[in-house]
Amino acid sequence: MNQTKTQAPDVTTARPMTHRGNAELVSEHGRTTIADTVVAKIAGMAARQVSGVYAMGAGMSRALGAVREALTGGGGTASTQGVAVEVGERQAAADLDVIVEYGVSIPDLAAGVRRNVIDAVENMCGLEVTEVNITVDDLHLPGEETGEPQEARVR
């Protein structure tokens, strides 16, 4: 029997993915994997760069972070405090907990933080940012110092 087999054309499973900034995470030469902590640090730094963001993290997480930093000598946890991310092969999403300076327009601040985080993650990682959720946990009032023990009112 003389049957002719037709060969399928060469199919490459790893195809180039072009994102903003022309980053290629998967190519014919290999795959680039970006750890969640890297994306979290980038998002945290980008959020902190926006004027009006006093601090990151909810009250309890900031207190625990300060204790952890004092016990361990830091270790980079401050840069991801108040930041949670989900990272896929092509996309990322971020949840941010922020403390805002009194007098700042919260909608404007949220838009600025969102824009800065999206730009930073997309440009540095080549990932499409699907969402940046922002929770305003507190408001920093002028003259209010956090982290310093206050003198007792009674003795």
Side-chain angles (χ1 to χ4, degrees), residues 125-140:
C125 299
L127 296 167
E128 175 192 2
V129 179
T130 58
E131 62 184 25
V132 177
N133 299 311
I134 299 168
T135 301
V136 177
D137 288 310
D138 201 356
L139 190 66
H140 179 258

Side-chain angles (χ1 to χ4, degrees), residues 18-124:
T18 305
H19 297 281
R20 192 171 172 198
N22 296 329
E24 293 186 69
L25 297 176
V26 178
S27 72
E28 64 274 2
H29 299 291
R31 175 184 308 264
T32 301
T33 304
I34 301 171
D36 291 8
T37 55
V38 171
V39 177
K41 284 182 180 182
I42 292 168
M45 292 300 295
R48 284 178 181 84
Q49 290 174 346
V50 176
S51 179
V53 173
Y54 177 75
M56 301 283 295
M60 186 54 96
S61 71
R62 288 187 323 133
L64 291 174
V67 169
R68 185 181 324 116
E69 188 173 329
L71 293 174
T72 63
T77 56
S79 60
T80 59
Q81 185 173 321
V83 181
V85 297
E86 282 185 54
V87 180
E89 287 185 20
R90 299 178 192 95
Q91 298 178 326
D95 296 322
L96 307 173
D97 293 319
V98 299
I99 297 171
V100 176
E101 293 278 357
Y102 176 78
V104 173
S105 166
I106 293 174
D108 291 346
L109 177 77
V113 167
R114 195 169 280 114
R115 185 174 42 253
N116 215 35
V117 168
I118 290 170
D119 287 348
V121 172
E122 287 184 351
N123 288 328
M124 293 182 72

